[in-house]
Amino acid sequence: MPIYKAPVDDTLFLLNDVLHLERYGNLAGFSDVPPDVLAQIIGEAGKICEERLQPLNRSGDAEGCRLDASGEVTTPTGFEEAYREFVAGGWVGLAVPPEYDGQGLPYTLAVVMNEFASAANMSFAMYPGLTQGALAALLRHGDEEQKRLFAPPMAAGRWTGTMNLTEPQCGTDLGLLNTKASPRADGSYAISGQKIFISAGEHDLSENIIHLVLARIDGAPAGVKGISLFIVPKYEVNPDGTLGARNAVRCGALEHKMGIHGNATCVMNYDGARGFLVGEPNRGLNAMFVMMNEARLGVAVQGLAQSEVAYQNAAAYAKERLQGRALTGAKNAGGGADPIIVHPDIRRGLMEMKAFNEAARGLALATALDSDIAHRSQDAKARQAADDRLGLLTPVLKGVLTDLGFESAVKAQQIWGGHGYIDENGVEQFVRDARITMIYEGANGIQALDLVGRKLPKDNGRAAMAYFAEVSEFIAHESSDEMKPFVEPLKVALGDLQKATIWLMQNALAKPDNGAGASYDYMHLFGRVALGYTWARIARAALAKKKETPDDAAWLDAKLTTGRFFMEKMLPETSFRLARITAGVDTLMSLPAEMF
């Protein structure tokens, strides 16, 4: 049976010693989580994920969701009870403001829970996860009445939320959507159309489901300029917050898919359903992007989560599975073979996963902290700097963490060998579940285009230049002999990123295909630098903590060794990416279509 142990100690080290959460007591909600309370919250988050969610992961995958003739969906056995316990713990509204019945704690803690829950049971975690994204959009763009009616029961977990974008004929190109919104005499709209691939679109976990739906008001302009956002509840909501009649929205089918079987991925049919405009007409994408950006960070964390649980199972297997002998002599003299962890190639896979996981977790939490600063700080300069980093790094995290998270799941399966290919051992589920993270919430090629085409040149490159300056300043400041194994490789990698950026500036404007053709490599080059910078920050904190708490030396030395492995074996990929970028796009684009 697969195992999972929430990385509580590692998370607390990152929050306390690397990110210094205690320094942000001036931000709303941060003063409520001093170190002892923080440890208790993170510990309880790990406990419910290990004890309640993880045991349902394989059974939920095997059973899946069921759709009956009336359009109602039943989730796998045990999900409803686990959801009630999850809701009772206040985990859905962890970062929601108290005035809407949330706990008002840092969003950073919600990201921690997202990782733990997604590693334990990704299908389950998507139900409350999508609710949190829908809540973010409503709280930012909804009017006071909408917030009053919808936010508290969603924060409490009594109602859940979804996002409805995709249609059969349009995914990334939302300008092609056909769903219509016809004005009604009472100020609401009749929503008609079909949406597909709607995660958690129908289920039996909550009293009501609040769909956020993109649609086009009658007579609206064509393309993305004519898209509006609507609240469409499964059950209509009375002015006093009680539930009314069943709305004209139904699940028409459940998608049969590669992974995340425990989550209901629905075809949703809207047949004149009553909907309510969110924000201004024809400005729906603005509101939806709030949800999409939160969702993209959430999906990045899903990539990390699947990598972490896959790594844990691979490491446990490698220490137990006997096969062959160490080249340096038998390590298990009393047995017929040595555990496979003695073999360098097995070690390579494990070290690559471990080095990625620890840096990816640090990078994800640092980005979540930027979101908290951007939305809660009273300092305008701090808000702008954090928002700039958040915008720049979101496509990097989504693309890189999910690509490498899937690679980790495959590496774990490879370490298990033939047993990893067999369903009953549970490892192949990690591969299947991780695969979707590279596709939904904007496929990773789209993330790369967003980085190069939008985020990099935004505000004349202000965010990118500030990030390069931040890393350069860190390198210049950390000049001790202990830090050299970390800052010297980082300096080379940053140089590769800067060269790639200059090449794009010189070659992409005159020939746009150069930018598009280089975008995927650029995203991964940027990601390697961001992970390398994170490892350097982790190393600095580990070295300082060793002096303060010598009893933790072995644990901290393991971190430092893992970080040096990343710097020696993984960070040098930046030079390979730079070579691909500067080779240009001619051979990529020259072959006639009929030759494929």
Side-chain angles (χ1 to χ4, degrees), residues 498-527:
Q498 290 170 319
K499 289 173 189 174
T501 306
I502 292 169
W503 187 91
L504 285 172
M505 291 170 60
Q506 295 172 340
N507 292 276
L509 285 177
K511 192 172 183 179
D513 277 349
N514 271 326
S519 63
Y520 186 79
D521 284 301
Y522 185 84
M523 177 182 73
H524 273 277
L525 198 167
F526 205 124

Coordinates of all heavy atoms in Angstrom, one line a residue, residues 498-527:
Q498 N 20.1 35.8 -18.0 CA 20.2 37.2 -18.4 C 20.6 37.2 -19.9 O 20.0 38.0 -20.7 CB 21.2 38.0 -17.6 CG 20.7 38.3 -16.2 CD 21.8 38.8 -15.3 OE1 23.0 38.3 -15.3 NE2 21.5 39.8 -14.5
K499 N 21.4 36.3 -20.3 CA 21.8 36.2 -21.8 C 20.6 35.8 -22.6 O 20.4 36.4 -23.7 CB 22.9 35.2 -22.0 CG 24.3 35.7 -21.4 CD 25.3 34.5 -21.5 CE 26.6 34.8 -20.8 NZ 27.5 33.7 -20.7
A500 N 19.8 34.9 -22.1 CA 18.6 34.4 -22.8 C 17.6 35.6 -22.9 O 17.0 35.8 -24.0 CB 18.0 33.3 -22.1
T501 N 17.5 36.4 -21.9 CA 16.6 37.5 -21.9 C 17.0 38.6 -22.9 O 16.2 39.1 -23.7 CB 16.5 38.1 -20.5 OG1 16.1 37.1 -19.5 CG2 15.4 39.2 -20.4
I502 N 18.3 38.8 -22.9 CA 18.8 39.8 -23.9 C 18.6 39.3 -25.3 O 18.2 40.0 -26.2 CB 20.3 40.1 -23.6 CG1 20.4 40.9 -22.3 CG2 20.9 40.9 -24.8 CD1 21.9 41.0 -21.8
W503 N 18.8 38.0 -25.5 CA 18.6 37.4 -26.9 C 17.1 37.6 -27.3 O 16.9 37.9 -28.5 CB 19.0 35.9 -26.9 CG 19.0 35.3 -28.2 CD1 20.0 35.3 -29.1 CD2 17.9 34.7 -28.9 NE1 19.6 34.7 -30.3 CE2 18.3 34.3 -30.2 CE3 16.5 34.5 -28.5 CZ2 17.5 33.7 -31.1 CZ3 15.7 33.9 -29.5 CH2 16.2 33.5 -30.7
L504 N 16.2 37.3 -26.4 CA 14.8 37.5 -26.7 C 14.5 39.0 -27.1 O 13.7 39.2 -28.0 CB 13.9 37.1 -25.6 CG 13.8 35.5 -25.3 CD1 13.1 35.3 -24.0 CD2 13.1 34.9 -26.5
M505 N 15.0 39.9 -26.3 CA 14.8 41.3 -26.6 C 15.3 41.7 -28.0 O 14.7 42.5 -28.7 CB 15.5 42.2 -25.5 CG 14.9 42.1 -24.1 SD 15.9 42.8 -22.9 CE 16.0 44.5 -23.5
Q506 N 16.4 41.1 -28.4 CA 17.0 41.4 -29.7 C 16.4 40.7 -30.9 O 16.5 41.2 -32.0 CB 18.5 41.1 -29.6 CG 19.3 42.0 -28.6 CD 20.7 41.6 -28.5 OE1 21.1 40.4 -28.8 NE2 21.6 42.5 -28.0
N507 N 15.8 39.5 -30.6 CA 15.3 38.7 -31.7 C 13.9 38.4 -31.8 O 13.4 37.9 -32.8 CB 16.1 37.3 -31.6 CG 17.6 37.5 -31.9 OD1 18.0 37.5 -33.0 ND2 18.3 37.6 -30.8
A508 N 13.1 38.7 -30.7 CA 11.7 38.3 -30.7 C 10.8 39.3 -31.3 O 9.8 39.0 -31.9 CB 11.3 37.9 -29.3
L509 N 11.1 40.6 -31.2 CA 10.3 41.6 -31.7 C 10.2 41.6 -33.2 O 9.1 41.7 -33.8 CB 10.7 43.0 -31.2 CG 10.4 43.3 -29.7 CD1 11.0 44.7 -29.4 CD2 8.9 43.3 -29.5
A510 N 11.4 41.5 -33.8 CA 11.4 41.5 -35.3 C 10.9 40.2 -35.9 O 10.3 40.2 -37.0 CB 12.8 41.7 -35.8
K511 N 11.0 39.1 -35.1 CA 10.6 37.8 -35.6 C 9.9 37.1 -34.4 O 10.5 36.4 -33.6 CB 11.8 37.0 -36.0 CG 11.4 35.7 -36.8 CD 12.7 35.1 -37.4 CE 12.4 33.8 -38.2 NZ 13.6 33.2 -38.8
P512 N 8.5 37.3 -34.3 CA 7.8 36.8 -33.1 C 8.0 35.3 -32.9 O 7.9 34.9 -31.7 CB 6.4 37.2 -33.4 CG 6.5 38.4 -34.3 CD 7.7 38.1 -35.2
D513 N 8.1 34.5 -34.0 CA 8.3 33.1 -33.8 C 9.6 32.8 -32.9 O 9.6 31.7 -32.3 CB 8.4 32.4 -35.1 CG 7.0 32.1 -35.7 OD1 6.0 32.2 -35.0 OD2 7.0 31.7 -36.9
N514 N 10.5 33.6 -32.9 CA 11.7 33.4 -32.1 C 11.3 33.4 -30.6 O 11.8 32.6 -29.8 CB 12.8 34.5 -32.4 CG 13.7 34.1 -33.5 OD1 14.1 33.0 -33.6 ND2 14.2 35.1 -34.2
G515 N 10.4 34.3 -30.3 CA 10.0 34.4 -28.9 C 9.1 33.2 -28.5 O 9.3 32.6 -27.5
A516 N 8.2 32.9 -29.4 CA 7.3 31.7 -29.1 C 8.1 30.4 -29.1 O 7.9 29.6 -28.3 CB 6.2 31.7 -30.2
G517 N 9.0 30.3 -30.1 CA 9.8 29.1 -30.2 C 10.7 28.9 -29.0 O 11.1 27.7 -28.7
A518 N 11.2 30.0 -28.4 CA 12.1 29.9 -27.3 C 11.4 29.8 -25.9 O 12.0 29.6 -24.9 CB 13.0 31.1 -27.3
S519 N 10.1 30.1 -25.9 CA 9.4 30.3 -24.7 C 9.4 29.1 -23.7 O 9.6 29.3 -22.5 CB 7.9 30.7 -24.9 OG 7.2 29.6 -25.6
Y520 N 9.3 27.9 -24.2 CA 9.3 26.8 -23.3 C 10.6 26.6 -22.6 O 10.7 26.3 -21.4 CB 8.9 25.5 -24.1 CG 8.7 24.3 -23.2 CD1 7.5 24.1 -22.4 CD2 9.7 23.3 -23.1 CE1 7.3 23.0 -21.6 CE2 9.5 22.2 -22.3 CZ 8.3 22.1 -21.5 OH 8.2 21.0 -20.7
D521 N 11.7 26.7 -23.4 CA 13.1 26.6 -22.9 C 13.3 27.7 -21.9 O 14.0 27.5 -20.9 CB 14.1 26.6 -24.0 CG 14.2 25.2 -24.7 OD1 14.4 24.2 -24.0 OD2 13.9 25.2 -25.9
Y522 N 12.8 28.9 -22.2 CA 13.1 30.1 -21.4 C 12.3 29.9 -20.0 O 12.9 30.2 -19.0 CB 12.6 31.3 -22.0 CG 12.9 32.6 -21.2 CD1 14.1 33.2 -21.3 CD2 11.9 33.1 -20.3 CE1 14.4 34.3 -20.6 CE2 12.2 34.3 -19.6 CZ 13.5 34.9 -19.7 OH 13.8 36.0 -19.0
M523 N 11.1 29.3 -20.1 CA 10.4 29.1 -18.8 C 11.2 28.1 -17.9 O 11.3 28.3 -16.7 CB 9.0 28.5 -19.1 CG 8.2 28.1 -17.9 SD 6.6 27.4 -18.4 CE 7.1 25.8 -19.0
H524 N 11.7 27.1 -18.5 CA 12.5 26.1 -17.7 C 13.8 26.7 -17.3 O 14.3 26.3 -16.1 CB 12.6 24.8 -18.4 CG 11.4 23.9 -18.2 ND1 11.3 23.1 -17.1 CD2 10.3 23.7 -18.9 CE1 10.2 22.4 -17.2 NE2 9.5 22.7 -18.3
L525 N 14.4 27.5 -18.1 CA 15.7 28.1 -17.6 C 15.4 29.0 -16.4 O 16.1 29.0 -15.4 CB 16.2 28.9 -18.8 CG 17.7 29.4 -18.7 CD1 18.2 29.9 -20.1 CD2 18.0 30.4 -17.7
F526 N 14.3 29.8 -16.6 CA 13.9 30.7 -15.4 C 13.6 29.8 -14.2 O 14.0 30.2 -13.1 CB 12.7 31.5 -15.9 CG 12.6 32.8 -15.1 CD1 12.5 34.0 -15.8 CD2 12.5 32.9 -13.7 CE1 12.3 35.2 -15.1 CE2 12.4 34.1 -13.0 CZ 12.3 35.2 -13.8
G527 N 12.9 28.7 -14.4 CA 12.6 27.9 -13.3 C 13.8 27.3 -12.6 O 13.8 27.2 -11.3

